[in-house]
Amino acid sequence: MALFPNAARNCKGTTLLDTRAPLTRLGLAVAVVLAVTTSGLTASPVAAVPAGLDAAASADSDQQGRLPIPAGSMIVSAGREGMLTKADSGGALTYRWTRFADGATTVLPTGTHWGAEGTDIVASQAGSVYTLTDMGGSAERLVIDTSALGAGATPYTLRRVVGTRLLMSTSVDNVQELHVVSVEGDRIVDRKVTVPTGATPVPHMHYSSGPDDLAVSYRAVVDGFSRTRIGAVDLSTGSVTETGTIAPGAISLALSPTHMAWFEAPASRKLAVAVAPRGGSGIEWVTLDSPTGTHDFTVRAIGDWVAYARARGGTATWKDPLHPLTARSRAGETVKLLDHVVSSAYDADGNLLVLGGSVDHGEGLYRIAPDTTGRPVAALVTGSGQPTALMTTGETPPPSGTVDFDRNGGELRATWTLSRFNATASLRVTHTASGLSGGAASPTPRQGVLDFPLVWNGRFDSGVPAYNGAYTWTMTAKPANGIGPDIVRTGTFTVTRAPKPHDFDDNGSPDLLSRDGAGRLRSYDIRQIESASPTQSLNPLDLGTGWYGYDRIVAAGNIGGTLAGDIVVRDATGVLWLRAGSGKGFAPRTRIGGGWQIYDKITGGSDLTGDGRPDLIAADRSGVLWLYPGTGNVNVPFSTRKRIGGGWGVYNRLTATGNIGGAPAGDLIARDRDGTLWLYLGKGDGTFAPRTRIGGGWNPYTSLVGVGDTDRDGRNDLIAYDDGSSGYHSLYVYKGTGDWKVPFAPRRAVYDPGLGDGVIELF
C-alpha cells in the first residue's frame, strides 16, 4: 500500500492522471528509472521508507519511517506517487524526486526543474524546449518547443507548470502578456490569458493548487483607481473570470472555491492576513503580532479554512507568533497545526503536504487534511528522526564535590551539545550562604555550531571573585525561536582555595582596607576595583566605624592560625591589638602587647624567616629596625623582637611586599624623604641584602600597600594611592615582574569610584 492510497480525485471531484496502469511495484520502479534515464536523469538509491504506511496513520505512531531526503530540503510539488524537493548543495540547487511507496529517490540533473501542483509531473528546460516527465510512470513524456511562439514578442519565460500546461510570460511592444501553452494532439497551442481591456498582467503573482486550477493577478482601473485584481483562468480558452481585489503589496496568495487570502505587510500598520469572499466584496483583516517584512510568508487554503505561517521558523533565531502553522476558519476559529513550517505543496487530493515539525512528534513530512467536520488536522506521514523540541545530544556539566579554584585557574567549565544551533545557553552559579551569583552565557546562535561551552570566570555579577563555600548551579538552554520548552539542569559543588595574606572576605583575592574620614573601615576586593566602571558600583565589606581610635592599622597576614588574613592595630596609648580575621570581618580585639608607641613605622604580612609564618617589622624613632617573628599562636602571635638594622630613620614609608625579587623569602620596600624607592631583598633569615634603588618620584603617594598577587600571574604586586592633595585622588597598580632589578612594571591607573568619605588611608 502506498503512503497516499486515497481515491484519484481532487477536492473538486476532477479525475486526475490514471494510476491504475497494470505495473507491479518492481515494474513501476523499472518504468520510472527508464523514463528518467531516457531524459538524462539518474536514479540514486537511498534508505527506503517502509511500504504500507497510510498517510492518515496516527501521528502518535513512533514507527514511522525516516524521511529519505536531505535536511534543509523544500517541497516543490507533490502528486499521487511522489514529491519533488530541492535543497541547496554547496550554492547550487539539487532537485530530487522521492516516491511515496518505498522512498526510492531520483536525483535530477543539474539545472532548474519545475513541479506541477497536485501531480507527479516534473518539467525541465533546454533552451526553449521544455520536457514534462510523469515521474509516476503513468504517462509518456511531453515535449513542448516554444521557440516558434510569439512572433514579434520577447522570448517566452516559464512562470508555472499547471498539470501538462505551461504558464508563460512575454512582452509585446513593452506590454506584459501571460500565455497558457499546451500540447493538443500533435500541435502546440498558445492561448493568451485575456485580462479585461486596459488591464496589465502581473507576471510574478499567480496561484495554482492542482492541474486544472490557475489564477493570475493583473492591474486594472476600477472606479478611477488602479487596483490589483485576481482572476481565475479558464485553461481551455485563456479567459479570466474576476474573483476580487487584492492589496498591491499582497504577499503569497491562496484561493479556495469560496474565498481567497493573502498576507499584507504595510508600513503604516502591523502585518495582517486578509480574507475575502471569492467573487464578492468585503475584506476581513486578521492583525498578527509579528514583525513586518516580506520574507518567507506562506498562506494556503484547506477547504474553508486558511492556513498561514512564516516559513523557516525551525531555524529562526528569533521568537515569532507566526512560526506555527495556524489555520483559521471563516467563522474566526483558529487551530495550531504545526510548530513550524519549512515548505508545503498540495497533493493529488487537494490536501496539504508540509515539511515541518511539531514538539510532540518531531521533524518530518506531515499531511494536513480536513476531518469529518471540516476542521484541518495534521498527521505525521514519515519522520526524519530529528526532534523539533530542543534536545541535548551531549553534556559535560560542572564538576561536583569540592573544586579547588587555586588549581583550576579560578574558573568553572561546562559544555552542552544541543540538537539545534538556534539556541542560547547559560550557566548561573549561586553562593548558598550569601545568595550572590554569577555565570556565563552563550547568547548568540551561530549557524551550524551545536556545542555551547560555558565558562564561569569565578566572579559574581558585581565583579567580586566568588567566595569559598557551597554553591548551586543551573544550566539553561533556550530555543532561540521560542519553539518547545527550555532545557534545565542543576547541581551543586563547593569552592575552596588556600588562604591569602591580604584576603579578608574568603574569596582568594587580595583586598584593600580603606579607612575614611568618618572612621569607617571597609574591605574592597582589588579585582573588583580593577574591573569597575562608572556604571558598576563596588561592593565593599563594611567593617564598622570607630577605627580612628587607632593610629596604626597593619594587614599582618594569617598570624593567628585561622584560614583568613588578620590585622594588628595600635591605639593612642601604644597598646597593640590583634583582630583575627574570620573571612567575613574580624573577631573582637585581643591585647597582644604594650609600649608600641616607640615605633613610627610598622609593616607586616611577609614571611621573612622562611618558616611559613608571616612576621612583623617595626622601626623605632631612633631608626633601629626590629623583627617580630610570627609564632602561629593566636594567643602569643609574635616572639621576642630581634634587632636587624639601624639607620632606618631616613625612610618615611616601609611596606612588606612578600617575595617580589625571586628569592625564597619576603622582601621590603622603603621610601626616603626625597621620594626615592628602595628594595631590600630578604635573605630568609630575617635580614636583608643591601638596598637597591628601584625608582624615584614616589612622594605623591600617601599609601603603598603590598596586597599580594592581584592578577593570578604568580607575582606579587603593589598598590599606590594619591589621596588628592594635588587636586584629585588616584589609585595605581604596579604589576610585579619577578625581576629584582626592575621589580615593577609601569603603573596602571584603575577606575577609582571613591573608597570612602573624606581623607582616605589604605592598608
Side-chain angles (χ1 to χ4, degrees):
M1 181 183 294
L3 288 178
F4 295 93
N6 301 311
R9 291 182 178 272
N10 66 7
C11 60
K12 297 180 181 179
T14 304
T15 302
L16 303 179
L17 295 177
D18 187 2
T19 61
R20 297 172 295 172
L23 295 173
T24 64
R25 175 159 290 146
L26 177 60
L28 177 60
V30 172
V32 171
V33 172
L34 288 177
V36 169
T37 304
T38 302
S39 60
L41 307 180
T42 59
S44 173
V46 297
V49 175
L53 293 180
D54 193 316
S58 168
D60 290 328
S61 173
D62 292 328
Q63 303 302 318
Q64 305 289 356
R66 293 291 182 258
L67 192 64
I69 62 173
S73 297
M74 300 182 66
I75 299 178
V76 178
S77 62
R80 188 163 303 284
E81 299 298 328
M83 63 181 177
L84 176 66
T85 61
K86 63 181 180 181
D88 190 324
S89 301
L93 290 177
T94 298
Y95 290 81
R96 293 174 173 83
W97 172 263
T98 301
R99 192 167 58 205
F100 293 141
D102 56 9
T105 294
T106 300
V107 179
L108 278 61
T110 302
T112 303
H113 301 272
W114 294 265
E117 291 273 10
T119 77
D120 296 313
I121 294 173
V122 174
S124 57
Q125 178 184 6
S128 59
V129 178
Y130 296 87
T131 301
L132 277 63
T133 302
D134 180 0
M135 300 299 291
S138 298
E140 297 295 328
R141 286 186 300 130
L142 189 64
V143 178
I144 304 178
D145 186 348
T146 65
S147 60
L149 300 180
T154 60
Y156 279 32
T157 300
L158 180 61
R159 296 294 181 178
R160 178 181 287 273
V161 180
V162 185
T164 57
R165 301 176 178 89
L166 307 180
L167 175 66
M168 310 192 78
S169 67
T170 186
S171 176
V172 179
D173 297 330
N174 294 322
V175 177
Q176 289 290 320
E177 293 182 351
L178 290 173
H179 293 252
V180 175
V181 179
S182 60
V183 175
E184 298 181 8
D186 58 355
R187 65 190 182 95
I188 295 177
V189 177
D190 178 6
R191 292 186 174 90
K192 179 182 177 181
V193 176
T194 55
V195 297
T197 303
T200 303
V202 182
H204 65 275
M205 195 71 176
H206 41 78
Y207 173 85
S208 175
S209 62
D212 302 309
D213 178 30
L214 175 64
V216 298
S217 59
Y218 55 91
R219 297 288 292 173
V221 176
V222 179
D223 298 329
F225 296 94
S226 179
R227 309 284 190 186
T228 301
R229 305 281 290 175
I230 188 74
V233 180
D234 184 336
L235 294 173
S236 64
T237 65
S239 62
V240 172
T241 301
E242 294 187 3
T243 61
T245 301
I246 63 175
I251 308 164
S252 189
L253 179 67
L255 275 77
S256 78
T258 59
H259 63 276
M260 57 185 180
W262 62 90
F263 271 109
E264 289 185 23
S268 59
R269 57 188 175 89
K270 287 188 174 183
L271 184 73
V273 169
V275 182
R278 205 168 158 170
S281 60
I283 301 175
E284 176 191 5
W285 282 277
V286 181
T287 302
L288 304 171
D289 185 17
S290 177
T292 57
T294 58
H295 63 285
D296 289 336
F297 296 121
T298 180
V299 59
R300 294 285 191 174
I302 306 174
D304 286 338
W305 292 64
V306 173
Y308 51 86
R310 189 195 295 265
R312 304 178 188 271
T315 55
T317 55
W318 69 94
K319 297 179 181 180
D320 192 334
L322 267 182
H323 287 333
L325 180 63
T326 303
R328 180 183 176 87
S329 71
R330 297 176 65 188
E333 181 185 359
T334 60
V335 59
K336 186 175 81 170
L337 299 172
L338 295 173
D339 285 296
H340 80 90
V341 172
V342 177
S343 58
S344 62
Y346 290 103
D347 69 8
D349 297 312
N351 300 313
L352 201 60
L353 286 182
V354 179
L355 284 174
S358 71
V359 170
D360 292 338
H361 308 299
E363 301 293 286
L365 178 67
Y366 287 81
R367 175 177 178 267
I368 298 176
D371 63 11
T372 55
T373 67
R375 176 194 293 265
V377 176
L380 181 63
V381 176
T382 180
S384 69
Q386 297 298 316
T388 295
L390 189 65
M391 307 288 285
T392 58
T393 60
E395 24 186 328
T396 304
S400 58
T402 299
V403 181
D404 189 334
F405 265 26
D406 286 333
R407 294 186 177 182
N408 72 353
E411 295 181 340
L412 198 73
R413 296 177 177 270
T415 300
W416 270 355
T417 302
L418 303 177
S419 60
R420 292 187 175 275
F421 83 92
N422 54 330
T424 62
S426 63
L427 174 68
R428 295 302 299 173
V429 179
T430 302
H431 184 238
T432 304
S434 67
L436 295 176
S437 65
S442 180
T444 304
R446 292 177 294 163
Q447 181 69 44
V449 177
L450 302 179
D451 288 332
F452 290 77
L454 300 169
V455 181
W456 178 45
N457 64 4
R459 298 193 186 196
F460 298 131
D461 293 335
S462 63
V464 173
Y467 303 138
N468 291 327
Y471 284 80
T472 61
W473 61 262
T474 301
M475 267 200 311
T476 304
K478 295 177 176 290
N481 57 9
I483 297 175
D486 298 345
I487 301 172
V488 179
R489 301 286 188 270
T490 60
T492 62
F493 62 94
T494 300
V495 169
T496 185
R497 304 178 185 85
K500 303 298 189 297
H502 229 275
D503 175 20
F504 303 111
D505 56 3
D506 195 29
N507 66 354
S509 175
D511 302 311
L512 276 177
L513 291 178
S514 168
R515 181 174 63 180
D516 65 14
R520 182 174 294 277
L521 191 67
R522 296 181 177 91
S523 173
Y524 290 88
D525 192 285
I526 188 60
R527 292 184 67 190
Q528 187 193 30
I529 291 176
E530 286 197 284
S531 63
S533 69
T535 60
Q536 184 180 41
S537 60
L538 298 181
N539 301 87
L541 178 64
D542 192 337
L543 299 171
T545 58
W547 291 85
Y548 260 127
Y550 304 108
D551 63 3
R552 292 290 186 274
I553 298 177
V554 178
N558 177 15
I559 63 174
T562 64
L563 296 179
D566 308 318
I567 62 174
V568 294
V569 295
R570 185 182 70 183
D571 65 23
T573 66
V575 175
L576 198 67
W577 303 88
L578 169 65
R579 298 292 301 269
S582 66
K584 294 302 175 185
F586 299 109
R589 69 182 187 176
T590 301
R591 188 180 190 277
I592 57 175
W596 284 73
Q597 68 273 16
I598 66 173
Y599 301 117
D600 60 355
K601 293 176 286 290
I602 304 174
T603 188
S606 293
D607 175 18
L608 305 177
T609 60
D611 61 0
R613 294 189 291 267
D615 307 306
L616 201 65
I617 288 181
D620 63 26
R621 301 185 190 279
S622 64
V624 177
L625 193 67
W626 300 89
L627 168 67
Y628 284 84
T631 66
N633 184 343
V634 68
N635 297 314
V636 184
F638 302 112
S639 60
T640 304
R641 70 178 186 173
K642 297 179 181 180
R643 188 181 190 278
I644 57 174
W648 288 75
V650 299
Y651 302 117
N652 59 19
R653 180 72 60 178
L654 298 180
T655 301
T657 61
N659 175 15
I660 61 171
D667 306 317
L668 189 67
I669 59 173
R671 184 185 65 187
D672 64 25
R673 292 179 176 84
D674 296 327
T676 302
L677 200 65
W678 302 88
L679 169 64
Y680 285 86
L681 291 173
K683 294 181 179 181
D685 60 358
T687 65
F688 302 99
R691 70 180 187 176
T692 301
R693 186 182 188 277
I694 57 173
W698 287 70
N699 309 68
Y701 299 131
T702 55
S703 297
L704 295 176
V705 185
V707 294
D709 184 4
T710 65
D711 55 359
R712 302 178 64 88
D713 66 353
R715 295 187 288 268
N716 288 333
D717 309 309
L718 184 70
I719 300 294
Y721 181 68
D722 181 346
D723 69 357
S725 57
S726 59
Y728 58 91
H729 55 260
S730 301
L731 192 67
Y732 300 95
V733 176
Y734 286 85
K735 297 292 186 182
T737 65
D739 181 0
W740 67 271
K741 296 179 182 178
V742 185
F744 300 115
R747 72 181 188 181
R748 182 172 64 85
V750 298
Y751 171 71
D752 183 9
L755 303 177
D757 302 317
V759 177
I760 305 297
E761 297 176 273
L762 300 182
F763 310 100

